Amino acid sequence: MISFAHLHVHSAFSPNWGIHSPANLCAAARSAGMTHLALTDRNGIYGIPHFLEEAKKAGIAPLIGAEAVRGTQRAVLLAENRNGYANLCRLLSMLHDRNPCDLAEALAVCRDGLYILSDDAGVLNRLAKQSCEGLYVEVSPGHHMERALALARSLKLPPVATTRAVYLREEDIETHRVLRAIAGNTTLTRLSAGDCAGPLDFLRRQAEMESYFPHCPEALQNAAQIADSCQTDWDFSATVFPRFRGLADQRAASLLACRARKGAIWRYGEINAEITARLTKELTIIRDKGFAHYFLVVQELAKRSPRTCGRGSAAASLVAYCLGITHVDPLRYNLFFERFLNEGRIDPPDIDIDFPWDERDAVLDFAFQRHGEQRAAMVANQVGFKSRGALREVAKVFGMPADEINRVTRRLSSHWSAQRGIQAMDSHPLFRGESLSSDWHDIFAIASRLNGQLRHLAQHCGGLVIAPDDIRRHVAVETSATGRPLIQWEKDQAEAAGLVKIDILGNRSLAVIRDTLAAVARHTGNSIDYRSWQPLADAGTRRLLCAGDTIGCFYIESPATRQLLKKMWGSRPLPDEDTLFEHLVMASSIIRPAANNFIREFVARMHGHPWRQLHPRLEPILGETYGLAVYQEQITQIAMALAGFTAGEGDRLRKIISKKDKDQTLEDYRQRFMNGGNRKGVSDAVLKEIWQQVLSFAGYSFCKPHSASYALVSCKAAWLKANHPAEFMAAVISNGGGYYTTLGYLSEARRMRLDILRPDINASDRAYCGKNRQLRIGLMQIASVTDATIDTILHERRTNGLFSSFNDFLRRLPHLPAENVKQLTKAGCFDALEGCKRRPELIWRLLQRNRRNILNGMGSLFDTEPASTPKLPPYDIATMRTQELETLGMPAACHPLAPYGEVVRASGAIPAVELNRWVGRHVTLAGIWVTGKPIRTGKGQAMEFVTFEDTTALFDATFFPAAYARFCRKLGSSRPYLVKGLVEQEFGVATLNVMWLGYLDEERKDRFEGFF
């Protein structure tokens, strides 16, 4: 039997309490000579799948448990066996129920298969009356040991030694105190000792433990005995499948096969030998792995909307395509099914389905209604400390002034890491000249250690798990802010524990497409079938895509993607439908981070730069992607072709690389790759070059089915933009846009020669409206006007007709909040009825009416006749401009640069649309900041890619480190800029290498006449 084991240990998965990762704890236990270790995080099993994996790597026998805390009641629970684990999950779920439960009462119901350790007299007394089996008194150094031993003697219960381990080293005490102060929303100086773990709560060696228990060695022996009798060979590899309508497995498989063949006729018109062979192969694997129920459940959910995007590796499945779950033909586009399912795959894949963002909740409601809250739950996001948030929280508990915290953190990008430390910040141009107090050194040091600590759970945007029985047998469940059941694991741990996830995700672009199609049908009478629509058959759509005119189009609207599309096609002939689609799929994957060198080589090869395959066996795999690994599944295929891997082994390699797991496991696979390649006669030089290409890119790429699914949505959006621009841009803005601001999309509409119409009380709906060549701003854009006010206005207009005047509006809607009506007036909603010059009179009349209503409500003795409206002068142009910015949040009457026309001309600025004519020359441009992307060079220097726009076009500018150091503090402002630099060109696309940046409005401005 073992001599001692730690049974009460907290990891970073103890919310706002623990510090160290399961990996660090397992390594420390191993270093201390331990063979067993329990993980007992507070009120949860938040990190158990991670713990089991790390324990296996460290050679530690893992015990599953938790510390259950309810008010002042507490107990450590350890699962003796699988039944005990199920009861542990049930009990933890009860503790998180919205109806408070008594810990002792809950344990009395769910104690079978559990060891219970506590020094809580109330809990132990209640349970001892029921049974003393599995019941122990916890005795811990620094936690009233004598009192606990006295309790053990009085109740005749065995004592057990623990340390309530939180710390591994002395500096952990300070980190823990910071966590507790953050959790209590207080400062370190106000933190009490009772709020924190004890100063002796370390993971200690056995010799140290013996020194604390010379008078009670049986407490150590009992700890060893419990550890020895608990299950440690935990296996969560069995997949927990949902069950479709209670069908038997064979019946579900038969039903799936029937539906797949029926769907094949719907998709193809007939079933030929190729379709039959592919369906047979897929259906056999699906049946053998027990996945038929899962496909049927997902199909039922997908049918809840006619507009979906089934994506991820599942889009390689012909069965999914025939069921209508996915919409890209896997045969036509040569999609690799084994990336989704193969005979050697151990972990369960999942199917991701995008729905229009405002339909997703209804789909989830249906899923819970169909399967019940006992069997269905949402996947969690485990929210921890990140970058600026960690720094801000630590600074607060140090008592730093709020303005100083804001001054520091607002200059850090969301991708900044506290691990870089204050030295990295000191060298950043944004902080040049700043002097920070010495406390900031401690703040940065502690913030750098808050990496991975669990703060709380949030609901994953769409991850749904469905079990065949009570899900609380498999994992503890909490209740999310939305009221839905929420498992305690995030998606990777859920997968590791065998829970099959269905991603029900919201996609704004699908709502854009839906709303645009509805508007087109209303305006033209033409209805388009979403599922059979072939957008690339339209030459205008292909031209738009090749030109990179894709602002507003799903996934391909960022500056980097638009540049890539322009570089790919340039002046090349217009491609056919299939050629363009295949290249869009490649672009969707290769645009991922850290792929710049590959992108440049990829485009060069497209344009005829000579290249050759590194090995003839790679031609069937990399031939379509110009000899470069662009898709994730190409890793699997390369390993199979060159090194003799099976599909399962190749997929495992792909997964390790994609998760950037650069440990010994990857080295093992590298050696197997080299040895397998050598056996097939491939030289070391070729194998090393291919291995480096795979390593440097695979972690960032998509799989081809996923890219193809995205590309199809992109093409549909592009077709709508090319053929119905007003309806399309209205839908983009109304659905919350995408990469750009509302002003950015309005500027794009102007470049498309659409007329921008201001909000109008008779013509505007809630959302933006587009028709013919006009785009009308919706009432939703007006700040501080409530949804209830908008609903009231639209209902009155539909019921009783248009408003004839401002007085008519007030008469028909007397109870609208005066502030809302004032905002409508300042936004120009009544200009068409009354004229913009009468805005002061309308506001006076509104305020007078409001005053009269107040006086009447106070029971005034005198009749308050309305006073005659005085003759008020109209607002000047500057005031109207201010009102527009206040109510709409942006200049809408004209482009933001339009009022600066004279200054722009005097500066000698060229129009952005002509940038390609000035390659190799220094130029000046005027522009509004649109978006920026800060990065670091290979040498760690800060720089930024920025997109500006003038009245003619967008233009991309690069601030290399020297220019960035000079001008970074000016970037991101809403003020108009003058930009000077050298025009450079690559693959026909011109960009500006910035040499100087200044504010245009520091010059004399034009007047605003003519814009209102």
Side-chain angles (χ1 to χ4, degrees):
M1 190 179 81
I2 62 174
S3 51
F4 175 73
H6 281 286
L7 303 181
H8 185 170
V9 181
H10 291 278
S11 76
F13 289 96
S14 276
N16 304 302
W17 187 269
I19 297 170
H20 290 285
S21 68
N24 287 346
L25 292 172
C26 289
R30 191 66 184 171
S31 176
M34 303 291 176
T35 59
H36 290 62
L37 184 70
L39 187 65
T40 56
D41 287 319
R42 282 203 162 185
N43 288 340
I45 52 170
Y46 302 103
I48 287 298
H50 285 321
F51 171 59
L52 297 180
E53 181 180 357
E54 297 302 332
K56 183 178 180 180
K57 291 179 184 177
I60 291 287
L63 282 69
I64 293 179
E67 182 186 26
V69 180
R70 167 67 79 179
T72 60
Q73 297 177 307
R74 56 166 300 277
V76 173
L77 313 175
L78 296 167
E80 181 183 9
N81 48 40
R82 192 77 196 200
N83 186 47
Y85 172 79
N87 275 324
L88 176 66
C89 292
R90 289 192 185 101
L91 184 128
L92 293 174
S93 300
M94 292 167 65
L95 291 181
H96 288 283
D97 194 277
R98 289 185 171 177
N99 298 317
C101 74
D102 180 85
L103 177 58
E105 294 299 324
L107 276 170
V109 176
C110 298
R111 66 182 290 185
D112 186 44
L114 289 173
Y115 285 107
I116 302 171
L117 290 54
S118 181
D119 62 354
D120 186 315
V123 171
L124 291 173
N125 265 303
R126 167 67 179 85
L127 296 177
K129 290 177 183 177
Q130 183 186 48
S131 169
C132 291
E133 185 178 355
L135 205 57
Y136 291 78
V137 177
E138 183 179 19
V139 185
S140 311
H143 293 276
H144 307 289
M145 289 178 64
E146 291 305 321
R147 188 170 69 189
L149 287 170
L151 180 63
R153 288 191 294 269
S154 68
L155 294 177
K156 296 182 173 56
L157 292 175
V160 62
T162 75
T163 65
R164 312 190 185 191
V166 173
Y167 315 128
L168 294 180
R169 47 185 179 265
E170 289 296 330
E171 69 177 21
D172 293 344
I173 296 176
E174 181 183 38
T175 306
H176 173 75
R177 293 187 73 246
V178 168
L179 277 176
R180 299 306 299 146
I182 293 171
N185 194 27
T186 188
T187 61
L188 288 172
T189 56
R190 295 180 179 178
L191 197 64
S192 68
D195 295 326
C196 303
L200 301 181
D201 292 354
F202 282 80
L203 190 79
R204 300 185 180 278
R205 293 177 175 271
Q206 181 170 334
E208 292 179 275
M209 293 300 297
E210 290 172 350
S211 70
Y212 281 110
F213 289 90
H215 56 303
C216 188
E218 65 268 26
L220 299 175
Q221 295 164 7
N222 287 335
Q225 185 178 19
I226 291 172
D228 200 44
S229 60
C230 279
Q231 179 174 338
T232 58
D233 58 340
W234 297 100
D235 182 10
F236 287 94
S237 62
T239 306
V240 182
F241 290 104
R243 187 163 293 278
F244 183 71
R245 300 185 182 180
L247 296 179
D249 291 347
Q250 188 57 47
R251 179 74 183 93
S254 298
L255 179 60
L256 179 66
C258 179
R259 289 187 178 183
R261 292 188 174 94
K262 184 178 178 181
I265 295 174
W266 165 59
R267 288 292 196 186
Y268 296 102
E270 62 177 1
I271 301 180
N272 59 27
E274 181 186 18
I275 295 169
T276 299
R278 179 68 171 259
L279 281 179
T280 300
K281 179 180 82 168
E282 291 191 17
L283 287 167
T284 300
I285 293 177
I286 291 168
R287 181 201 63 209
D288 292 347
K289 288 192 165 290
F291 250 72
H293 292 281
Y294 181 68
F295 272 82
L296 293 170
V297 168
V298 173
Q299 184 198 26
E300 186 175 54
L301 295 175
K303 288 168 63 178
R304 303 304 297 176
S305 173
R307 289 158 299 273
T308 61
C309 172
R311 57 181 176 87
S313 61
S317 167
L318 182 61
V319 170
Y321 180 63
C322 292
L323 294 178
I325 296 171
T326 60
H327 301 291
V328 176
D329 185 346
L331 299 179
R332 181 177 181 180
Y333 295 109
N334 189 31
L335 303 183
F336 184 59
F337 174 70
E338 283 76 5
R339 168 63 177 85
F340 174 59
L341 270 181
N342 59 73
E343 293 176 354
R345 180 162 182 162
I346 300 172
D347 55 302
D350 55 17
I351 297 178
D352 302 339
I353 310 176
D354 286 355
F355 293 84
W357 68 278
D358 49 1
E359 297 178 22
R360 180 183 65 104
D361 283 349
V363 177
L364 289 173
D365 289 342
F366 169 81
F368 279 99
Q369 182 183 21
R370 168 70 73 187
H371 299 282
E373 293 193 352
Q374 288 300 111
R375 294 197 295 137
M378 301 300 295
V379 174
N381 280 334
Q382 295 183 333
V383 180
F385 293 91
K386 293 183 180 178
S387 59
R388 288 184 299 183
L391 195 68
R392 179 178 292 279
E393 293 295 338
V394 176
K396 282 168 60 179
V397 303
F398 267 72
M400 287 293 178
D403 58 347
E404 184 173 344
I405 296 174
N406 290 335
R407 182 164 55 88
V408 172
T409 58
R410 70 173 175 241
R411 295 182 185 172
L412 301 172
S413 78
S414 59
H415 302 293
W416 175 86
S417 169
Q419 280 67 35
R420 293 197 183 112
I422 198 166
Q423 294 78 16
M425 190 187 74
D426 285 343
S427 67
H428 198 287
L430 280 171
F431 291 92
R432 189 160 295 164
E434 290 282 345
S435 59
L436 298 175
S437 68
S438 59
D439 282 343
W440 280 101
H441 290 267
D442 294 332
I443 292 168
F444 270 82
I446 294 173
S448 70
R449 299 200 292 267
L450 298 185
N451 184 29
Q453 273 69 23
L454 175 63
R455 299 189 69 183
H456 58 85
L457 296 187
Q459 183 175 299
H460 184 274
C461 55
L464 173 71
V465 290
I466 303 171
D469 50 5
D470 186 356
I471 198 166
R472 290 156 189 81
R473 290 185 63 252
H474 305 279
V475 59
V477 173
E478 302 185 13
T479 302
S480 72
T482 64
R484 291 197 173 102
L486 183 72
I487 68 171
Q488 290 189 332
W489 296 330
E490 40 71 40
K491 61 183 181 64
D492 289 338
Q493 292 195 95
E495 177 187 292
L499 294 173
V500 183
K501 176 170 62 72
I502 307 169
D503 269 340
I504 308 297
L505 301 165
N507 185 315
R508 291 188 182 274
S509 288
L510 291 176
V512 168
I513 292 170
R514 175 200 64 202
D515 294 348
T516 307
L517 291 176
V520 170
R522 285 196 307 271
H523 299 159
T524 68
N526 295 329
S527 295
I528 298 167
D529 178 30
Y530 180 84
R531 299 194 184 205
S532 61
W533 183 12
Q534 298 296 322
L536 291 186
D538 174 55
T541 301
R542 299 202 302 276
R543 278 192 293 271
L544 180 144
L545 288 165
C546 291
D549 291 333
T550 51
I551 289 180
C553 298
F554 173 68
Y555 199 72
I556 55 173
E557 64 169 342
S558 71
T561 308
R562 290 187 295 102
Q563 273 198 34
L564 176 58
L565 293 175
K566 293 176 187 177
K567 290 175 181 178
M568 286 169 63
W569 299 107
S571 58
R572 293 160 63 95
L574 191 66
D576 61 34
E577 180 178 349
D578 281 354
T579 300
L580 178 55
F581 185 78
E582 287 280 10
H583 283 77
L584 282 172
V585 176
M586 295 179 215
S588 294
S589 185
I590 205 171
I591 198 63
R592 306 283 280 173
N596 286 340
N597 292 334
F598 285 96
I599 291 173
R600 196 169 287 112
E601 181 63 20
F602 172 77
V603 176
R605 292 182 182 188
M606 267 194 71
H607 286 270
H609 183 77
W611 62 277
R612 62 177 181 82
Q613 294 287 2
L614 291 172
H615 193 278
R617 288 199 184 99
L618 295 178
E619 178 58 34
I621 302 167
L622 302 181
E624 66 175 356
T625 55
Y626 301 94
L628 297 170
V630 170
Y631 306 123
Q632 285 183 358
E633 63 268 37
Q634 287 174 321
I635 304 166
T636 303
Q637 293 169 307
I638 289 170
M640 292 170 67
L642 287 190
F645 280 43
T646 66
E649 292 169 337
D651 191 59
R652 174 62 182 157
L653 171 62
R654 186 272 312 166
K655 195 164 188 177
I656 291 170
I657 294 172
S658 295
K659 291 190 174 182
K660 297 175 280 295
D661 184 3
K662 303 296 190 287
D663 62 4
Q664 185 62 41
T665 303
L666 183 57
E667 174 57 27
D668 291 344
Y669 271 88
R670 187 196 69 82
Q671 195 58 53
R672 290 172 61 185
F673 182 82
M674 299 296 293
N675 293 340
N678 290 156
R679 285 194 297 270
K680 284 181 168 283
V682 185
S683 70
D684 279 352
V686 168
L687 289 169
K688 287 178 181 178
E689 188 170 350
I690 293 170
W691 182 258
Q692 286 307 311
Q693 184 184 136
V694 164
L695 278 188
S696 61
F697 187 68
Y700 300 99
S701 61
F702 282 150
C703 62
K704 185 178 180 182
H706 182 83
S707 292
S709 300
Y710 268 7
L712 184 58
V713 178
S714 302
C715 292
K716 291 178 177 180
W719 186 94
L720 292 170
K721 184 177 183 182
N723 292 278
H724 301 281
E727 289 89 346
F728 176 74
M729 294 306 294
V732 168
I733 299 172
S734 298
N735 281 285
Y739 199 90
Y740 303 96
T741 63
T742 297
L743 177 59
Y745 290 115
L746 285 181
S747 296
E748 174 70 0
R750 287 192 180 94
R751 288 189 290 272
M752 297 162 68
R753 299 183 181 175
L754 300 180
D755 293 328
I756 309 301
L757 305 179
R758 297 176 195 155
D760 184 283
I761 204 66
N762 280 327
S764 289
D765 288 330
R766 175 191 301 277
Y768 280 64
C769 298
K771 186 176 182 180
N772 299 325
R773 305 297 301 180
Q774 295 182 329
L775 180 62
R776 171 79 67 180
I777 295 174
L779 298 178
M780 62 180 280
Q781 186 65 49
I782 304 173
S784 302
V785 175
T786 65
D787 288 342
T789 291
I790 295 174
D791 289 341
T792 301
I793 292 169
L794 296 178
H795 179 265
E796 173 62 24
R797 207 171 70 192
R798 285 192 300 267
T799 304
N800 298 311
L802 302 180
F803 302 103
S804 60
S805 65
F806 184 69
N807 278 346
D808 181 48
F809 178 86
L810 295 181
R811 179 182 60 79
R812 290 162 59 179
L813 298 172
H815 300 298
L816 285 183
E819 279 303 310
N820 281 203
V821 180
K822 185 178 178 181
Q823 286 292 94
L824 292 169
T825 307
K826 291 164 75 173
C829 288
F830 298 100
D831 287 359
L833 290 175
E834 305 285 357
C836 64
K837 293 183 178 181
R838 297 192 63 198
R839 283 190 199 176
E841 295 179 24
L842 303 186
I843 291 176
W844 186 93
R845 196 180 307 165
L846 171 68
L847 297 177
Q848 185 67 17
R849 186 203 69 161
N850 196 48
R851 177 176 175 274
R852 187 167 67 251
N853 289 343
I854 293 172
L855 289 174
N856 289 338
M858 292 171 62
S860 173
L861 296 176
F862 304 99
D863 188 19
T864 53
E865 286 292 330
S868 59
T869 305
K871 188 69 174 176
L872 298 174
Y875 292 129
D876 59 25
I877 298 301
T879 300
M880 294 180 69
R881 176 78 165 176
T882 300
Q883 288 182 344
E884 184 180 61
L885 294 175
E886 174 195 333
T887 58
L888 302 181
M890 60 185 179
C894 62
H895 189 278
L897 279 182
Y900 299 90
E902 183 179 305
V903 181
V904 172
R905 286 189 291 273
S907 72
I910 67 167
V913 74
E914 297 180 3
L915 200 61
N916 270 312
R917 295 170 51 188
W918 295 81
V919 175
R921 299 164 67 180
H922 288 83
V923 299
T924 299
L925 293 104
I928 298 293
W929 187 91
V930 176
T931 186
K933 183 179 181 181
I935 66 165
R936 286 183 178 268
T937 67
K939 296 181 179 179
Q941 296 173 292
M943 60 175 289
E944 186 165 356
F945 297 108
V946 178
T947 299
F948 297 96
E949 68 168 33
D950 67 7
T951 57
T952 67
L954 295 164
F955 64 95
D956 296 308
T958 305
F959 288 77
F960 286 107
Y964 182 78
R966 289 182 61 195
F967 304 115
C968 59
R969 292 198 182 195
K970 290 186 174 181
L971 290 172
S973 170
S974 59
R975 296 168 65 181
Y977 292 98
L978 274 180
V979 194
K980 299 178 184 288
L982 177 66
V983 181
E984 298 176 339
Q985 190 180 70
E986 184 179 52
F987 299 113
V989 176
T991 58
L992 189 70
N993 182 346
V994 177
M995 308 297 179
W996 182 88
L997 180 79
Y999 292 123
L1000 181 66
D1001 58 4
E1002 289 176 349
E1003 307 293 331
R1004 184 178 62 83
K1005 294 188 293 185
D1006 278 359
R1007 291 179 58 76
F1008 292 92
E1009 281 82 353
F1011 297 112
F1012 288 91

